[in-house]
Amino acid sequence: MVDINWDELGFSYMKTPFRYRSHWKDGKWDEGELTEDNQLHISESSPAIHYGQQCFEGLKAYRCKDGSINLFRVDQNAKRFNQSGGRLLMPHVPEEKFIEAVKQVVLANHEYVPPYGTGGTLYIRPLLIGTGDSMGIGPAPEYIFTVFCMPVGFIFKGDLEPSNFIVSDYDRAAPVGTGAVKVGGNYASSLLPGEKAKEQSFSDCIYLDPQTHTKIEEVGSANFFAITKNNEFVTPISPSILPSITKYSLLYLAQNRLGMKAYEGDVFIDELDQFSEAGACGTAAVISPIGGIKYGDDFHIFYSESEVGPVTKRLYDELTGIQFGDVEAPEDWIINLKVDK
């Protein structure tokens, strides 16, 4: 095992030994291979740089108690990756190629998967960018598909410690724009409102729907969920919300493991008193309890600013138990990788 203080991992880049790279040219992908080079060598006129023709994914690898490594619902990441790429007219990456690339990267860097029990994970970043010599606005002549990884801890506060958020005056995405796909422009536009939230001592901002500014859509770069006072799980529905794999996993677990009514629906910002708990969820965020939300002059506190609510805790335990191999997973949710000693 490499010499890393696993207890002090944040969410920062760390160069690991290997990454996967494949090139698309003349209408087809090459076989791809692992490389130690962490630099991308591209034309200065690449459409990814000038016109934002790029998309990415985020998923994790989890160390199990027996030393093996779990991948969580990687097939869903592959599908969403191609939905994003298709929206920007980029070539399809075969699902089996995507999954195999992820497996190769994880196994090649297996010493960087944090030990079981530390709470750390190996974050995996697949990326697709338009490259080649091209100045006109249009699809790139060439593409690079790459996958790299790094060990990470928590993106917000520590293990299930509630965070506070403030409603932003900015829109995250246009009503029929690219909000539902994982492209870089969505995140670039979130930097300013996110920074303004942090300047006011909030973890990040809450975005409302761009058409009416009455309904919650997302929490920074994560999805929002809430528990109603009659014990129902609800998460916002909108064509401009990124379809979080974690969110859909929680919808399933709330209904099938916790016996709750679970659904996507409107969450109106002026009706927060209907909810007993709330949280942010996503691959990076996992589940981050929301202590309170500031909207205008009002600051609404959910369960507590210092303690996680009981339903959020049960969902967290069920989800992470599945990911780390301690709880039986629904069919086809887990790929388990054995590591050669």
Side-chain angles (χ1 to χ4, degrees), residues 140-152:
E142 301 174 15
Y143 295 87
I144 294 175
F145 168 50
T146 186
V147 182
F148 64 94
C149 66
M150 59 192 181
V152 299

Side-chain angles (χ1 to χ4, degrees), residues 105-124:
V105 169
V106 172
L107 289 173
N109 297 287
H110 69 86
E111 291 187 338
Y112 288 81
V113 182
Y116 175 85
T118 63
T121 52
L122 186 76
Y123 185 81
I124 306 157

Side-chain angles (χ1 to χ4, degrees), residues 238-307:
S238 166
S240 56
I241 293 176
L242 182 73
S244 164
I245 294 161
T246 303
K247 178 187 79 172
Y248 285 113
S249 300
L250 291 177
L251 279 163
Y252 177 91
L253 295 175
Q255 180 172 326
N256 294 279
R257 296 287 176 90
L258 274 62
M260 304 171 65
K261 180 180 179 181
Y263 61 95
E264 294 176 281
D266 291 331
V267 179
F268 290 95
I269 189 61
D270 60 359
E271 296 180 358
L272 297 181
D273 57 355
Q274 295 184 3
F275 307 109
S276 58
E277 301 177 35
C281 64
T283 297
V286 191
I287 294 178
S288 180
I290 295 177
I293 293 176
K294 188 176 190 302
Y295 176 53
D297 295 329
D298 179 63
F299 181 68
H300 179 84
I301 298 174
F302 293 97
Y303 182 79
S304 168
E305 288 187 81
S306 59
E307 297 180 8

